Protein backbone atom coordinates (compact mmCIF):
# COMPACT_ATOMS: atom_id res chain seq x y z
CA UNK A 1 0.00 0.00 0.00
CA UNK A 2 2.91 2.35 0.65
CA UNK A 3 3.90 2.40 -3.02
CA UNK A 4 0.32 2.79 -4.23
CA UNK A 5 -0.09 5.89 -2.11
CA UNK A 6 3.13 7.60 -3.28
CA UNK A 7 2.50 10.58 -5.49
CA UNK A 8 5.04 11.39 -8.18
CA UNK A 9 5.38 15.07 -8.97
CA UNK A 10 6.84 16.96 -11.89
CA UNK A 11 8.78 20.03 -10.81
CA UNK A 12 11.46 22.51 -11.84
CA UNK A 13 14.42 23.61 -9.74
CA UNK A 14 14.83 27.30 -9.07
CA UNK A 15 16.98 28.98 -11.75
CA UNK A 16 20.65 28.23 -11.18
CA UNK A 17 20.03 25.14 -9.02
CA UNK A 18 19.87 22.39 -11.61
CA UNK A 19 17.90 20.82 -14.38
CA UNK A 20 14.31 21.63 -15.22
CA UNK A 21 11.44 19.18 -15.58
CA UNK A 22 12.34 16.67 -12.88
CA UNK A 23 10.17 13.91 -11.45
CA UNK A 24 10.23 13.02 -7.80
CA UNK A 25 8.56 12.54 -4.46
CA UNK A 26 7.87 15.43 -2.10
CA UNK A 27 9.62 14.47 1.15
CA UNK A 28 6.93 16.03 3.34
CA UNK A 29 4.32 13.79 1.64
CA UNK A 30 6.40 10.60 1.82
CA UNK A 31 5.66 7.82 4.30
CA UNK A 32 8.01 7.49 7.27
CA UNK A 33 9.57 4.32 5.82
CA UNK A 34 11.36 6.38 3.16
CA UNK A 35 11.60 9.79 4.81
CA UNK A 36 14.55 11.12 6.73
CA UNK A 37 15.68 14.45 8.12
CA UNK A 38 19.08 15.84 7.21
CA UNK A 39 20.22 18.99 8.95
CA UNK A 40 16.63 19.84 9.81
CA UNK A 41 15.39 19.37 6.23
CA UNK A 42 13.01 16.60 5.16
CA UNK A 43 14.52 14.31 2.53
CA UNK A 44 13.88 10.99 0.81
CA UNK A 45 15.96 8.06 2.04
CA UNK A 46 17.09 6.58 -1.29
CA UNK A 47 18.15 3.29 0.32
CA UNK A 48 14.78 2.95 2.03
CA UNK A 49 12.98 3.69 -1.23
CA UNK A 50 15.09 1.14 -3.12
CA UNK A 51 14.39 -1.51 -0.47
CA UNK A 52 10.67 -0.79 -0.69
CA UNK A 53 10.75 -1.04 -4.49
CA UNK A 54 12.73 -4.29 -4.43
CA UNK A 55 10.22 -5.76 -1.99
CA UNK A 56 7.37 -4.79 -4.31
CA UNK A 57 9.13 -6.32 -7.32
CA UNK A 58 9.68 -9.53 -5.35
CA UNK A 59 5.97 -9.70 -4.43
CA UNK A 60 4.95 -9.10 -8.04
CA UNK A 61 7.37 -11.75 -9.30
CA UNK A 62 5.86 -14.31 -6.94
CA UNK A 63 2.34 -13.39 -8.10
CA UNK A 64 3.28 -13.55 -11.80
CA UNK A 65 4.95 -16.93 -11.33
CA UNK A 66 1.87 -18.23 -9.54
CA UNK A 67 -0.42 -16.98 -12.31
CA UNK A 68 1.76 -18.44 -15.06
CA UNK A 69 2.04 -21.79 -13.37
CA UNK A 70 5.69 -21.29 -12.52
CA UNK A 71 6.75 -21.13 -16.18
CA UNK A 72 9.64 -18.80 -17.03
CA UNK A 73 9.59 -16.53 -20.07
Amino acid sequence: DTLKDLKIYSYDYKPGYGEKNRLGIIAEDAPPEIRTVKEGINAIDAYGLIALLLGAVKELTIKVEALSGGQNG
Side-chain angles (χ1 to χ4, degrees):
D1 287 335
T2 302
L3 285 178
K4 281 190 335 187
D5 296 335
L6 279 180
K7 293 182 182 176
I8 307 299
Y9 295 93
S10 174
Y11 62 92
D12 294 333
Y13 282 122
K14 293 180 181 178
Y17 285 94
E19 301 175 25
K20 290 187 175 187
N21 302 315
R22 302 282 304 221
L23 292 176
I25 301 165
I26 304 298
E28 290 80 2
D29 296 341
E33 297 92 342
I34 62 168
R35 187 177 45 214
T36 188
V37 178
K38 293 182 180 178
E39 299 177 16
I41 298 173
N42 285 320
I44 297 296
D45 175 9
Y47 293 111
L49 179 57
I50 290 168
L52 193 67
L53 292 170
L54 288 173
V57 169
K58 183 177 177 180
E59 285 180 26
L60 288 173
T61 300
I62 291 167
K63 289 178 182 180
V64 167
E65 286 176 351
L67 290 171
S68 66
Q71 298 172 353
N72 291 333

